[in-house]
Amino acid sequence: MVLVERTMSESSDDNIDIRPLELGDLRRRVEESDDDTHSLPDSSGNRFFSAVFHTTGLKRRRDKPIDRKFVARMAWKNAVLKIRSLGDPWEKFHLNTYKTEKARRHRYNALRQTWTADEVVVKMEPKPFNHGAMRECFRMKKLSNFSKDDWTRAHNYVSKRYMETNTSREIYFEDVKLQMDAKLWGEEYNRHNPPKKVDIFQMAILEMIEREGSPLYHLEHYIEGQYVKYNSNSGFVRSEAIRMTPQAFSHFTFERSGHELIVVDIQGVGDLYTDPQIHTSHGNDYGDGNLGSRGMALFLHSHRCNSICESLNLTPFDLAPSEMQNLDNNVSPQMSYQTVVRGTEEVVITPTSEQKEHIQEYIRLRSLSSGYVSGDDKPRVHFNSISSVDSLELDEMTMTSESEDSLVDSSRREYRLHQLSPHHRPRYDSMTTDSGTDTETREKDLMQFKELVRRKARPSHVLGEIEHRKQLELLEENRNKTGGSALGQVHLDLAKYHELNRFVKESESYDRDAAMYHVMQAAKCGTLEAIKAMAQMHLKLPHDILPDLELDDNTCDMEIGFDHMLMAAEAKDRAAMIYVATAFESAIGLPQSRKPDWSKSVFWLDRVINTNTEDEGGNFDGTMNDPVYQLVARQAAMYLGGKHGLQKDPNKAGELYSWAAELATEAMKGKLASKYFMEAEEAWSECED
């Protein structure tokens, strides 16, 4: 509590000061030193009135400006006194009696993407006190560089080690990189002044250099309290006490990164998180828990924007009406809270008929989650040193529902007071000053990161993606109109998850309307696979995505189908180019609004013949269901016929037939090659006539 002096004007009778008595006046004598100069100047205390004002007509002295530096100093002093009064929660474990060891500490700078190392002195208990699915935990004390062998002032830490003895050392470094990158996004989230700020544990690697093999451990500050998992890396959102801040933070990272990543697997005490997971659009980096766009799809399918999302100007992700109703009614089956490892999640690629016969092998089981839960009803976060202030939380922190987060406006009104409160938790940046980076350089790097994020940020809805792609097309003349959309891939993955019955019970069939909706959204974003699926559905052709879904006559539209087929052809999809060429040649599959055009057919066949690179989806059709020699022969036949907008040219036809014969010979098609040579002679004979 900030103590405020309220000096009253002197009474003409008693010549005494009159002011209300506060609880802080009693605490002041206990907590503060004998230095009476620490009392604060007149400030916000003038809001409080005593009945004496009205009865005696006394006047108050004019307020003096607040010395904010002094207020901050007092807040820090109160915080230190409070921390010292808590005592050491690990005193009963007698860690001071264990062997003193030297270790090498490795810390990661998320902004500069560099590592620094220094030596520390620690005492670690020999046996773990807890474990998760993958790691076991040891109590540990680390001596501060300023403690001078005084272990009573050493800081409490938790060291974690993988239980699998053959775990690669690189995995330890990847885990730290993941958590510190997530911490950087937490700092970016806090810069937008949300109602409640978040923090992610400072994490480092401890290399026990005095032990055989120099084993590695993860190093984190000790935190005591109720450990809660708010969401997982596979779409789970906790329903017993849904909180808005963790879900809004995940949504924020998706938008501000330009759909390149999302931070999920949010777990910890209050808004102090640990062991998060990052999904990237390409699915690389950050360990086996990175499920790529599939992990993004699972979170966004279970996320409904809340008041914090709105206050941060985040845009809702497009969901089908039935999906939104399920979220409102909370009837969608909850996914497992367990963290899923890459390769063990539901496979999104549509299985073939043969694979569907062995579907249990096709879809593997999930792995268990790491992490553990403390059973305290009223969790408390205890730290015994000011050096742990980056993880300091409220002394009394009861885990409740998100009712405290839902009061966005009231939280903003209290924001200034919260900044001056002794309970306000300062945080270390992901790029700490003790890692060898000066403040000026750090601020410069932070500004560069902030500007990069500002340029990358884009909304979560499809309309914003469409506008973004249009702007890029204006800036880059030769830019591809399809491909490269992470948002489109997320929608496509959701359609495939629907087909795999991910969001319904075993006895129910999947929501075909919702699956079709996401295919449509993916096509709007320029995802080539979705564009082809839309074309095939409307043209009533076999399709790999949602193969059991057929559009009725009222929904089926050949115009829409052919337009999508043209888009796929422009993206260099070989099958689409051949379909368009055939349609313009024979009018089969051509909408009524279009007429046969052999010049366009020749154009598309020429593109197929001269295309030997990947399409915009990164694929190349090497099956050659339509060999090149057949396509060249079709061009020759059209030049020889000369109609539907194509001028007759027997000489050109003869050259093409001759080329087709050579290609057929290379393909070991002797009879067909002889036929093409004869047709070439016939075409050239028309030139002589």
Side-chain angles (χ1 to χ4, degrees):
M1 176 181 294
V2 178
L3 305 180
V4 181
E5 182 182 357
R6 298 173 176 81
T7 304
M8 310 297 298
S9 61
E10 295 183 356
S11 170
S12 58
D13 297 329
D14 300 327
N15 194 28
I16 59 175
D17 291 342
I18 303 176
R19 63 179 177 85
L21 183 64
E22 296 182 342
L23 181 62
D25 297 328
L26 302 178
R27 290 184 176 177
R28 178 181 180 185
R29 300 305 175 187
V30 177
E31 296 181 347
E32 292 195 6
S33 64
D34 295 332
D35 187 0
D36 294 335
T37 62
H38 287 174
S39 59
L40 299 181
D42 291 349
S43 60
S44 58
N46 296 319
R47 295 179 292 121
F48 304 98
F49 297 92
S50 169
V52 181
F53 282 105
H54 302 287
T55 58
T56 64
L58 297 177
K59 296 182 179 179
R60 291 175 294 154
R61 188 175 62 189
R62 170 168 289 190
D63 297 341
K64 295 180 181 179
I66 298 176
D67 186 351
R68 296 189 178 277
K69 291 184 178 180
F70 185 77
V71 172
R73 235 177 7 252
M74 290 298 297
W76 273 103
K77 180 178 179 180
N78 290 338
V80 171
L81 290 172
K82 185 175 184 179
I83 293 171
R84 288 178 178 174
S85 67
L86 296 177
D88 184 1
W90 281 0
E91 184 177 1
K92 59 185 177 182
F93 299 113
H94 306 292
L95 297 182
N96 297 345
T97 62
Y98 292 121
K99 178 184 176 182
T100 301
E101 299 180 82
K102 288 185 178 181
R104 184 175 295 111
R105 179 177 57 175
H106 301 268
R107 287 175 290 178
Y108 181 71
N109 186 318
L111 283 171
R112 292 182 171 271
Q113 300 181 5
T114 56
W115 290 88
T116 58
D118 60 352
E119 287 194 359
V120 295
V121 180
V122 301
K123 288 179 178 285
M124 184 189 304
E125 62 181 356
K127 296 182 180 180
F129 71 93
N130 210 331
H131 66 86
M134 296 180 290
R135 296 185 297 180
E136 53 188 0
C137 308
F138 300 82
R139 295 186 184 91
M140 191 191 77
K141 282 185 175 290
K142 183 182 76 68
L143 195 64
S144 170
N145 295 332
F146 308 100
S147 296
K148 297 181 180 180
D149 297 331
D150 185 2
W151 286 98
T152 61
R153 302 179 61 186
H155 311 148
N156 292 341
Y157 285 84
V158 175
S159 56
K160 302 179 181 180
R161 179 181 66 184
Y162 280 101
M163 290 182 287
E164 288 288 339
T165 56
N166 59 349
T167 301
S168 171
R169 297 174 73 89
E170 285 73 17
I171 292 180
Y172 285 88
F173 288 88
E174 281 292 324
D175 289 344
V176 172
K177 181 178 181 295
L178 187 158
Q179 186 145 325
M180 297 310 295
D181 284 348
K183 184 176 179 67
L184 183 62
W185 281 104
E187 295 166 7
E188 176 64 22
Y189 174 82
N190 294 338
R191 278 194 283 271
H192 289 72
N193 291 330
K196 281 200 167 185
K197 295 192 175 184
V198 303
D199 198 9
I200 297 176
F201 258 121
Q202 193 88 14
M203 187 179 184
I205 291 176
L206 201 64
E207 183 181 4
M208 306 301 293
I209 55 179
E210 294 184 347
R211 298 185 184 182
E212 183 179 357
S214 300
L216 300 180
Y217 292 81
H218 286 138
L219 180 66
E220 290 182 350
H221 286 284
Y222 165 67
I223 180 172
E224 183 178 356
Q226 185 177 3
Y227 187 95
V228 179
K229 190 158 189 169
Y230 300 109
N231 63 48
S232 73
N233 73 331
S234 56
F236 161 79
V237 174
R238 190 177 186 87
S239 60
E240 303 92 86
I242 296 178
R243 298 198 57 235
M244 298 184 186
T245 295
Q247 318 309 330
F249 171 60
S250 294
H251 187 183
F252 174 87
T253 59
F254 179 72
E255 274 205 10
R256 298 296 292 181
S257 67
H259 312 161
E260 290 186 3
L261 60 83
I262 186 172
V263 181
V264 293
D265 218 357
I266 305 299
Q267 52 199 309
V269 177
D271 292 316
L272 178 59
Y273 306 145
T274 185
D275 290 336
Q277 178 60 55
I278 297 179
H279 297 315
T280 58
S281 58
H282 48 71
N284 299 329
D285 301 329
Y286 302 123
D288 291 337
N290 179 5
L291 305 182
S293 60
R294 302 187 299 277
M296 295 178 175
L298 291 173
F299 170 81
L300 293 169
H301 179 265
S302 60
H303 173 67
R304 187 70 186 271
C305 281
N306 53 54
S307 56
I308 299 181
C309 296
E310 294 172 359
S311 70
L312 295 172
N313 296 320
L314 304 179
T315 56
F317 178 77
D318 296 293
L319 293 173
S322 59
E323 294 173 314
M324 296 179 66
Q325 184 177 359
N326 287 339
L327 286 179
D328 291 337
N329 299 334
N330 197 24
V331 298
S332 179
Q334 284 290 322
M335 275 71 81
S336 171
Y337 69 89
Q338 299 164 344
T339 300
V340 175
V341 179
R342 186 192 306 148
T344 63
E345 76 278 15
E346 283 85 347
V347 182
V348 181
I349 302 174
T350 303
T352 62
S353 299
E354 181 181 354
Q355 289 170 329
K356 286 181 178 179
E357 295 178 0
H358 306 282
I359 195 67
Q360 295 301 326
E361 297 180 6
Y362 189 71
I363 303 176
R364 300 178 185 175
L365 298 176
R366 299 188 186 95
S367 69
L368 293 176
S369 169
S370 61
Y372 42 91
V373 178
S374 169
D376 294 340
D377 294 332
K378 291 185 177 181
R380 304 165 69 92
V381 180
H382 294 166
F383 292 98
N384 63 329
S385 170
I386 195 64
S387 69
S388 299
V389 75
D390 63 316
S391 303
L392 181 63
E393 275 288 2
L394 298 181
D395 181 34
E396 198 70 30
M397 184 170 58
T398 305
M399 304 301 294
T400 64
S401 66
E402 187 61 20
S403 58
E404 74 260 21
D405 274 356
S406 61
L407 303 177
V408 176
D409 295 334
S410 62
S411 297
R412 283 178 168 175
R413 289 194 296 269
E414 296 174 2
Y415 175 73
R416 291 179 179 270
L417 295 176
H418 174 67
Q419 294 294 326
L420 300 178
S421 168
H423 301 302
H424 173 62
R425 183 181 78 234
R427 297 168 171 83
Y428 285 157
D429 290 333
S430 58
M431 183 176 174
T432 54
T433 54
D434 60 352
S435 63
T437 306
D438 59 83
T439 304
E440 183 179 354
T441 303
R442 180 186 62 184
E443 291 299 327
K444 181 180 178 181
D445 290 341
L446 285 172
M447 290 301 297
Q448 291 178 351
F449 176 76
K450 183 178 179 180
E451 178 62 21
L452 177 64
V453 170
R454 187 190 66 81
R455 291 198 305 266
K456 282 182 171 292
R458 75 178 79 162
S460 303
H461 55 57
V462 172
L463 181 60
E465 181 74 3
I466 294 173
E467 292 300 321
H468 176 76
R469 296 180 70 85
K470 286 182 179 178
Q471 293 177 6
L472 292 180
E473 289 175 12
L474 293 176
L475 295 175
E476 304 176 25
E477 295 181 359
N478 298 325
R479 179 178 176 82
N480 298 328
K481 295 183 179 181
T482 59
S485 173
L487 185 64
Q489 188 60 44
V490 167
H491 279 286
L492 184 61
D493 288 336
L494 275 178
K496 294 178 179 179
Y497 271 129
H498 273 290
E499 183 188 352
L500 292 173
N501 296 317
R502 167 75 190 220
F503 308 119
V504 296
K505 298 178 181 178
E506 293 182 2
S507 59
E508 299 176 355
S509 60
Y510 71 89
D511 189 342
R512 285 170 169 74
D513 291 338
M516 184 65 185
Y517 174 85
H518 287 294
V519 174
M520 292 172 59
Q521 302 307 311
K524 291 178 182 178
C525 293
T527 304
L528 180 57
E529 192 175 356
I531 292 172
K532 291 166 59 179
M534 287 291 294
Q536 292 162 348
M537 290 179 189
H538 282 281
L539 295 173
K540 295 187 176 181
L541 300 173
H543 45 92
D544 296 329
I545 299 177
L546 311 178
D548 59 338
L549 192 152
E550 295 183 4
L551 302 181
D552 54 38
D553 294 336
N554 295 328
T555 307
C556 191
D557 191 329
M558 288 194 65
E559 287 286 352
I560 295 177
F562 194 78
D563 288 343
H564 280 86
M565 192 65 77
L566 275 175
M567 292 173 60
E570 291 173 355
K572 302 179 183 178
D573 181 78
R574 191 173 189 274
M577 290 189 286
I578 292 174
Y579 180 91
V580 171
T582 303
F584 280 122
E585 178 186 2
S586 62
I588 299 175
L590 198 66
Q592 295 181 356
S593 62
R594 300 176 184 268
K595 297 180 180 180
D597 190 330
W598 281 10
S599 62
K600 292 182 179 179
S601 179
V602 168
F603 168 79
W604 285 111
L605 288 175
D606 190 62
R607 288 197 63 175
V608 176
I609 294 167
N610 294 298
T611 298
N612 55 4
T613 58
E614 297 177 347
D615 58 31
E616 292 178 6
N619 302 313
F620 176 69
D621 185 1
T623 59
M624 293 300 179
N625 293 328
D626 296 275
V628 175
Y629 54 81
Q630 290 184 2
L631 303 180
V632 174
R634 285 172 57 183
Q635 282 185 314
M638 283 187 280
Y639 274 110
L640 188 60
K643 54 183 179 180
H644 298 304
L646 182 67
Q647 186 176 359
K648 184 175 181 178
D649 189 343
N651 185 56
K652 179 73 171 178
E655 293 176 354
L656 290 172
Y657 272 129
S658 178
W659 183 25
E662 294 174 0
L663 293 173
T665 302
E666 294 176 0
M668 307 297 289
K669 302 291 183 181
K671 293 183 178 180
L672 195 57
S674 300
K675 176 185 175 182
Y676 290 154
F677 276 126
M678 291 177 58
E679 290 178 343
E681 294 296 333
E682 293 176 1
W684 281 324
S685 65
E686 291 190 19
C687 294
E688 296 175 359
D689 295 341

